[in-house]
Amino acid sequence: MLRYLTAGESHGPQLTAIVEGMPAGVPISASAINRELSRRQQGYGRGGRMKIEKDTVELLSGVRWGETIGSPLTLVVMNRDWENWHERMSPLPEHRDDSIAVTRPRPGHADLSGALKYGHDDVRNVLERSSARETAARVAVGAVAKALLGEFGIRVGGYVAEIGGIAAAAPDLPLEELWRLAEGSELFCCDRSVEARIKGAIDAAKAEGDTLGGVFEVQVLGTPPGLGSYVHWDRKLDARLAMALMSIQAIKGVEVGIGFASARRPGSLVHDEIIRDEARLGQGAAGAYCRATNNAGGIEGGMSNGEPIVLRAAMKPIPTLYKPLRSVDIRSHEPFEATVERSDTCAVPAALVVAEAVVAVEIANAFLEKFGGDSLGEIRRNYAGYLEELRRA
Ligand code: EPS
């Protein structure tokens, strides 16, 4: 089983992730991880903090001479902004300074519930960890998972489908071409014709002190049928993927395949007919069974069915606004209207990169559950045996 923990505050010295369960022999390069970290920092609509940070990973354990050795990996991403926060985020009691306490919770953030839950009267103790800065650590972990999946021809990618209510349609092209189109876009979307409109909407939101959310789609190509299981609720692949996506800061909804639209159609227009295509034997992982459509988004009964896995997620607008929303000071109990923390106007493209990472981790975990071994070679043997069975099925 692949599992990980992250630690670190947004303005603390560093983010740390420990990844346990990676088999030995998987090639890992810091540059591949850094590529993902850099993607997460991009996207039109980011704020001032991204000009300070230049995220790169340090591999402190579990990798030797470019390959995993089976022991836990330690991944570290330093916070450059820490330079400006040494005393304000110091672990030392002599640096306590009550005059800098944050007492004004922002609507939409973890601020108020977090302060009530942990008994804090300084909201900074909440917002430092609830901040989406933590997602840099998850993207580093996701890059490791992508490296493992890549050894078996499984690829994870995606694009932004909508920002601020403006849809960016994906042309009818193979998914990997759509990923390439998205890669060349500042908005990570595949429809150049709406880019100027979306950027204009982000600029207008920024000028008004407002923020914008959106929708993105993540796809997984090359999964064999049978990842996850129908036998128990917490083994269902769709449930695990939905949890992973919902765990990303600001995500409010997840769909698998056509998702909510399936509730509005009769069954005959939802379920994907099963066909056989002998020409597919020997190509990729799926065997000869395939589907006429992919409304299920590649998952039926909590298991992958061999079609591309298709997930969509909705991100709310970032709640740190320059435009005032009503709130109440937690010490004076007085209402107030304005609170300003530096913020992004739109982080939907960044959230897509985080989503790819958390999806890659869940798929890698399900893959290791089914084919797991202690080394890449052992997993390859297990996987080859299953593919052989699929070819005969
Ligand atoms: C965030 C607030 C901003 C964002 C941050 C997430 O940080 P700051 O308060 O330092 O300006 O920049 O995102 C990141 C630091 C990042 O790496 O994505 C928040 O409140 O969630």
Side-chain angles (χ1 to χ4, degrees):
M1 210 180 109
L2 192 64
R3 54 200 172 123
Y4 71 98
L5 289 171
T6 73
E9 275 78 37
S10 178
H11 304 101
Q14 66 182 51
L15 301 164
T16 310
I18 296 186
V19 186
E20 207 278 316
M22 271 296 279
V26 179
I28 299 290
S29 79
S31 62
I33 300 174
N34 290 341
R35 219 168 19 249
E36 296 295 318
L37 289 171
S38 153
R39 286 178 70 219
R40 194 198 68 93
Q41 289 201 272
Q42 294 162 28
Y44 197 81
R46 294 285 253 156
R49 176 79 183 270
M50 286 306 100
K51 295 190 179 74
I52 300 173
E53 303 299 340
K54 188 168 185 326
D55 295 340
T56 52
V57 74
E58 281 178 61
L59 292 165
L60 296 184
S61 75
V63 179
R64 183 167 183 237
W65 296 341
E67 284 186 8
T68 55
I69 54 173
S71 50
L73 277 72
T74 306
L75 311 173
V76 165
V77 178
M78 306 302 288
N79 291 325
R80 286 192 174 187
D81 208 13
W82 162 242
E83 274 312 307
N84 308 312
W85 288 81
H86 279 234
E87 295 203 351
R88 284 180 287 172
M89 289 301 293
S90 165
L92 303 177
E94 56 266 35
H95 288 137
R96 181 181 291 276
D97 175 2
D98 209 39
S99 71
I100 62 168
V102 179
T103 59
R104 298 179 148 199
R106 298 157 299 170
H109 268 277
D111 295 356
L112 180 58
S113 303
L116 294 173
K117 176 176 168 64
Y118 287 90
H120 292 310
D121 65 356
D122 181 352
V123 169
R124 177 149 310 282
N125 292 335
V126 177
L127 69 87
E128 282 293 332
R129 181 60 186 163
S130 61
S131 162
R133 177 72 188 148
E134 180 263 347
T135 62
R138 287 201 264 175
V139 166
V141 176
V144 170
K146 279 186 173 183
L148 171 67
L149 294 173
E151 293 297 315
F152 299 93
I154 299 175
R155 291 92 70 205
V156 183
Y159 50 79
V160 169
E162 196 177 311
I163 288 180
I166 306 171
D172 190 16
L173 290 170
L175 283 173
E176 277 169 303
E177 277 185 47
L178 296 181
W179 299 350
R180 269 189 292 277
L181 279 177
E183 220 43 57
S185 148
E186 273 185 284
L187 296 164
F188 295 2
C189 55
C190 319
D191 179 359
R192 296 284 180 275
S193 71
V194 293
E195 282 202 358
R197 257 183 78 208
I198 293 179
K199 283 187 185 173
I202 293 172
D203 292 342
K206 186 173 185 177
E208 285 167 26
D210 223 326
T211 55
L212 294 180
V215 177
F216 55 79
E217 189 165 312
V218 176
Q219 304 96 2
V220 188
L221 292 174
T223 47
L227 301 186
S229 178
Y230 62 91
V231 301
H232 200 249
W233 63 270
D234 57 357
R235 294 179 58 187
K236 290 175 190 259
L237 187 63
D238 41 3
R240 292 156 57 172
L241 289 165
M243 177 172 169
L245 288 168
M246 286 297 288
S247 77
I248 300 170
Q249 288 80 343
I251 299 303
K252 298 304 279 184
V254 175
E255 291 185 307
V256 181
I258 63 169
F260 273 63
S262 67
R264 301 181 197 111
R265 297 184 187 181
S268 56
L269 295 180
V270 169
H271 300 298
D272 306 305
E273 290 182 310
I274 300 172
I275 51 184
R276 272 185 78 86
D277 178 1
E278 306 297 328
R280 281 173 36 131
L281 276 176
Q283 300 171 15
Y289 287 109
C290 57
R291 305 308 173 101
T293 50
N294 188 22
N295 294 332
I299 302 180
E300 288 170 307
M303 294 166 293
S304 59
N305 66 7
E307 298 297 316
I309 292 173
V310 180
L311 306 157
R312 286 167 81 85
M315 183 185 198
K316 71 182 180 185
I318 287 167
T320 306
L321 305 179
Y322 291 89
K323 203 173 193 167
L325 286 181
R326 284 190 304 164
S327 181
V328 177
D329 189 290
I330 59 168
R331 292 194 183 178
S332 71
H333 297 173
E334 291 298 319
F336 68 92
E337 273 218 331
T339 182
V340 176
E341 282 258 345
R342 175 181 61 187
S343 172
D344 303 319
T345 306
C346 175
V348 178
L352 164 68
V353 179
V354 181
E356 287 179 27
V358 300
V359 165
V361 171
E362 288 312 311
I363 299 290
N365 197 2
F367 192 86
L368 288 176
E369 271 170 19
K370 180 139 179 65
F371 306 110
D374 297 311
S375 69
L376 192 57
E378 188 177 1
I379 301 169
R380 279 196 205 290
R381 286 195 296 280
N382 296 342
Y383 191 45
Y386 184 65
L387 291 187
E388 192 46 47
E389 268 181 42
L390 283 183
R391 279 184 203 110
R392 286 198 295 266

